[in-house]
């Protein structure tokens, strides 16, 4: 897969810009604050449906304008894919000219991996950073995974709401199990997807790491899920 071209209109500091890429390696260089990362961001938006720098889509619109557009053309398995992103009051995506019903419909149309200097935090910082990285990767490969994540988050919200009702409205604590069981089911599925993905990474990195360390080190990533340990064991035996 490779990106052929990207057209930007009122996106961040760009008013009108067209950038063509080479099939192989592309190096974007320039002084600070010239818009290098903005280019990467536009590719990310067309692949994942949102930015990696902000949750507020509006920030993507050039400060002096009231809408932004991106058009990205790429080739995946010799097939041309065109993604259009339009943002005014709301955001809208088109896949090969056809309006996408949901943002998640564009996932998997282009496979991208973002790795920035800050991403070293995937190793250093808290688990949520690692989960986020995994979520971004797996969402592109497995559409069902996004659905599961959404369901999981909704259930967490509902559970939290019920916790408040227990506290303030005297609702029964026993009913909490309904949410816990649901979370256990969804969490287990999410866990399976992550485990499968980690296994795939393991297959790839083992030889690479062995070679780069001149046969001295064997690398293996192990996925240890805390949630499973705490909450789900209770339901697994049922
Ligand atoms: N919504 C916006 N409207 C107009 N300009 C914006 C907007 N958002 C960001 N910018 C401008 O974009 C520039 C930053 O771009 P970017 O982060 O891509 O820089 P960079 O080339 O990656 O720099 P560095 O080398 O420091 O990483 C800044 O000049 C900033 O003012
Ligand atoms: Mg930058």
């Amino acid at each position: 897969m490779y990106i052929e071209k990207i057209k930007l209109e009122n996106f961040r500091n760009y008013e009108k810009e067209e950038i063509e890429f080479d099939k192989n390696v592309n190096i974007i260089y320039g002084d600070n604050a010239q818009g290098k990362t903005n280019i990467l961001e536009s590719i990310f938006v067309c692949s994942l449906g949102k930015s990696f720098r902000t949750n507020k889509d509006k920030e993507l619109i050039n400060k002096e304008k009231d809408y932004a557009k991106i058009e990205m053309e790429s080739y995946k398995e010799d097939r041309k894919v065109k993604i259009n992103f339009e943002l005014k009051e709301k955001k809208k995506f088109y896949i090969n000219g056809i309006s996408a019903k949901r943002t998640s419909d564009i996932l998997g149309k282009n496979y991208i991996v973002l790795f920035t200097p800050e991403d070293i935090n995937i190793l250093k910082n808290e688990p949520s950073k690692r989960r986020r990285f995994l979520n971004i990767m797996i969402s592109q490969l497995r559409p069902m995974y996004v659905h599961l994540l959404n369901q999981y988050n909704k259930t967490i919200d509902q559970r939290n709401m019920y916790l408040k009702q227990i506290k303030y409205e005297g609702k029964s604590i026993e009913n909490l199990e309904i949410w816990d069981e649901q979370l256990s089911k969804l969490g287990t599925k999410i866990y399976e997807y992550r485990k499968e993905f980690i296994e795939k990474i393991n297959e790839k990195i083992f030889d690479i790491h062995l070679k780069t360390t001149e046969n001295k080190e064997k690398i293996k990533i192990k996925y240890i899920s805390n949630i499973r340990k705490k909450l789900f064991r209770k339901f697994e035996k049922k």
Side-chain angles (χ1 to χ4, degrees):
M1 188 227 120
Y2 71 95
I3 296 162
E4 192 188 41
K5 202 194 286 178
I6 193 143
K7 285 188 206 162
L8 306 174
E9 199 178 320
N10 304 336
F11 180 84
R12 294 280 193 189
N13 63 327
Y14 294 99
E15 268 188 48
K16 245 185 167 59
E17 194 69 46
E18 191 169 326
I19 304 156
E20 282 183 33
F21 296 103
D22 190 81
K23 256 189 185 180
N24 300 302
V25 179
N26 292 273
I27 297 171
I28 302 166
Y29 66 95
D31 288 342
N32 292 126
Q34 295 307 298
K36 302 183 294 296
T37 306
N38 293 346
I39 295 172
L40 300 183
E41 189 180 33
S42 71
I43 294 171
F44 195 94
V45 170
C46 284
S47 310
L48 271 302
K50 58 179 183 207
S51 167
F52 57 88
R53 292 208 279 199
T54 175
N55 286 324
K56 297 187 194 109
D57 291 331
K58 284 257 162 72
E59 283 177 26
L60 304 175
I61 301 175
N62 186 292
K63 282 181 194 121
E64 263 123 56
K65 301 285 163 46
D66 64 353
Y67 73 91
K69 284 185 187 177
I70 313 169
E71 179 172 299
M72 181 168 101
E73 289 178 46
S74 59
Y75 279 89
K76 193 174 157 219
E77 289 146 11
D78 287 336
R79 277 225 192 126
K80 193 164 180 158
V81 185
K82 190 174 87 177
I83 303 284
N84 286 87
F85 165 77
E86 292 177 8
L87 172 65
K88 202 168 178 179
E89 291 312 314
K90 282 174 113 181
K91 62 179 162 184
K92 187 92 203 73
F93 285 94
Y94 298 84
I95 305 165
N96 294 330
I98 295 165
S99 164
K101 277 208 187 87
R102 277 158 289 152
T103 297
S104 59
D105 290 344
I106 68 160
L107 294 171
K109 297 284 179 269
N110 293 285
Y111 293 150
I112 62 156
V113 178
L114 176 79
F115 193 76
T116 69
E118 295 83 53
D119 283 326
I120 203 70
N121 293 335
I122 293 169
L123 302 174
K124 264 175 31 190
N125 287 9
E126 69 274 12
S128 66
K129 294 276 189 303
R130 288 184 278 283
R131 282 199 295 271
R132 184 172 177 269
F133 182 78
L134 283 179
N135 289 347
I136 290 173
M137 295 295 112
I138 304 171
S139 304
Q140 298 180 67
L141 301 168
R142 301 262 186 265
M144 191 54 203
Y145 183 76
V146 186
H147 181 64
L148 281 172
L149 280 182
N150 287 338
Q151 271 191 305
Y152 187 86
N153 290 330
K154 256 189 220 156
T155 312
I156 292 263
D157 288 345
Q158 288 170 350
R159 186 183 189 270
N160 285 341
M161 227 144 63
Y162 193 76
L163 279 176
K164 274 190 198 145
Q165 289 174 347
I166 292 174
K167 193 168 173 197
Y168 297 110
E169 295 169 27
K171 292 222 171 160
S172 154
I173 196 160
E174 266 156 40
N175 285 343
L176 204 59
E177 280 218 349
I178 298 169
W179 308 120
D180 288 352
E181 191 159 359
Q182 188 67 6
L183 284 177
S184 160
K185 272 190 200 145
L186 292 167
T188 304
K189 281 187 196 151
I190 291 167
Y191 171 84
E192 299 291 339
Y193 276 105
R194 287 181 182 161
K195 214 174 123 200
E196 182 206 357
F197 185 72
I198 301 269
E199 275 317 310
K200 290 236 167 78
I201 296 181
N202 272 326
E203 284 167 25
K204 297 258 185 227
I205 60 170
F206 186 85
D207 289 340
I208 297 170
H209 194 75
L210 200 65
K211 233 184 241 166
T212 48
T213 59
E214 293 169 337
N215 295 329
K216 285 195 195 86
E217 287 177 17
K218 290 178 183 162
I219 198 168
K220 188 174 161 65
I221 307 172
K222 212 171 156 187
Y223 177 36
I224 301 165
S225 161
N226 274 333
I227 320 175
R228 261 175 72 82
K229 271 193 273 180
K230 278 187 211 140
L231 181 60
F232 300 151
R233 195 150 291 162
K234 197 162 110 190
F235 294 103
E236 264 172 358
K237 294 182 198 92
K238 282 191 184 171

